[in-house]
């Protein structure tokens, strides 16, 4: 902590703030400390990730522990904006470059923006958004069905039901539409996700 507070926020790199962010509030520091470092944590989380503390879903868990809904409205609005904009940007990138699911999980865990995020996913053009959708299905659809363990166990029943229903219906339709738009090298991702959905309906 002493090293972190001795440097301007802008000079803190992921190798310095990442370990702190992973253990913040549970082992190191309190809510005020996390709130101070949060702008830099979020800035680094939107770039190259590598440290667990910079994972958006973990940031969401830390924010809940820090009682972020008691913070000033303008700070809450700024946090929501970062998550929403990062989600939209990630949808346009290949799933090998960035995992949009991380930002989606963060929003779901913080209980905001789920419906709007799904609408944006449905409306996104191009093959990358379909690949991001395929990754979400393969990574999460099993966990959404009444799971009380892991990340999705901390998400509200209502949000999990909304997400699962959307994936099985409109998500599947989007993947079928994408079969002609993704590259041959990536087609297997979409086909595998469709198979996962079929098994979930059985």
């Amino acid at each position: 902590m002493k090293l972190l507070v001795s440097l301007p926020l802008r000079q803190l790199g992921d190798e310095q703030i990442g370990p702190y962010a992973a253990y913040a509030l549970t082992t190191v520091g309190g809510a005020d400390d996390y709130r101070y470092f949060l702008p830099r944590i979020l800035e680094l989380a939107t770039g190259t990730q590598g440290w667990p503390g910079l994972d958006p879903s973990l940031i969401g868990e830390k924010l809940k522990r820090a009682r972020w809904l008691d913070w000033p409205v303008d700070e809450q609005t700024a946090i929501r904006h970062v998550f929403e904009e990062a989600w939209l940007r990630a949808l346009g990138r290949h799933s090998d470059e960035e995992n949009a699911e991380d930002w989606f999980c963060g929003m779901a865990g913080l209980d905001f923006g789920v419906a709007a995020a799904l609408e944006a996913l449905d409306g996104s053009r191009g093959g990358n958004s379909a690949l991001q959708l395929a990754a979400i299905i393969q990574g999460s659809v099993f966990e959404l069905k009444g799971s009380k363990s892991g990340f999705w166990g901390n998400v509200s029943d209502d949000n999990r039901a909304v997400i699962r229903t959307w994936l099985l219906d409109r998500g599947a339709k989007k993947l079928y539409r994408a079969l002609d738009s993704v590259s041959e090298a990536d087609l297997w991702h979409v086909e595998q996700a469709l198979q996962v959905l079929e098994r979930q309906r059985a």
Side-chain angles (χ1 to χ4, degrees):
M1 282 287 289
K2 287 184 179 179
L3 173 62
L4 294 181
V5 297
S6 69
L7 296 172
L9 279 179
R10 282 284 183 180
Q11 291 183 19
L12 294 174
D14 54 1
E15 72 284 355
Q16 294 166 311
I17 206 167
Y20 159 76
Y23 294 106
L25 300 168
T26 53
T27 306
V28 181
D32 288 340
D33 299 313
Y34 193 74
R35 185 174 168 188
Y36 170 76
F37 290 113
L38 182 63
R40 186 58 175 156
I41 290 171
L42 287 172
E43 186 176 24
L44 291 171
T46 59
T48 302
Q49 298 176 37
W51 292 93
L54 302 180
D55 180 88
S57 60
L58 182 58
I59 292 172
E61 292 178 19
K62 300 291 185 181
L63 284 169
K64 287 198 293 187
R65 188 178 288 270
R67 299 182 180 276
W68 77 295
L69 292 178
D70 293 336
W71 297 1
V73 173
D74 61 332
E75 293 182 20
Q76 296 180 41
T77 300
I79 291 167
R80 292 171 187 265
H81 180 74
V82 170
F83 273 80
E84 290 164 353
E85 288 300 309
W87 160 252
L88 292 175
R89 186 205 65 232
L91 289 181
R93 302 184 70 185
H94 194 284
S95 54
D96 288 343
E97 298 175 332
E98 183 173 3
N99 188 356
E101 182 181 16
D102 291 340
W103 293 101
F104 184 62
C105 286
M107 289 187 285
L110 290 170
D111 203 27
F112 77 83
V114 169
L118 292 172
E119 286 299 323
L121 176 53
D122 196 25
S124 296
R125 304 297 179 192
N128 284 343
S129 65
L131 293 177
Q132 294 287 359
L133 171 58
I136 291 171
I137 289 169
Q138 294 180 67
S140 294
V141 74
F142 295 108
E143 300 291 330
L144 289 166
K145 191 176 182 180
S147 174
K148 292 299 180 184
S149 62
F151 168 78
W152 289 105
N154 297 320
V155 175
S156 71
D157 291 345
D158 287 345
N159 268 345
R160 282 192 286 112
V162 166
I163 296 166
R164 179 177 168 81
T165 298
W166 190 94
L167 292 176
L168 290 169
D169 180 19
R170 291 173 62 183
K173 291 175 182 175
K174 179 178 176 65
L175 288 185
Y176 278 116
R177 293 196 304 268
L179 287 173
D180 295 329
S181 64
V182 298
S183 69
E184 294 230 356
D186 290 325
L187 189 59
W188 69 273
H189 291 291
V190 175
E191 293 174 337
Q192 194 169 59
L194 286 169
Q195 291 173 12
V196 169
L197 292 178
E198 285 302 318
R199 287 196 295 271
Q200 287 294 297
R201 294 192 188 97

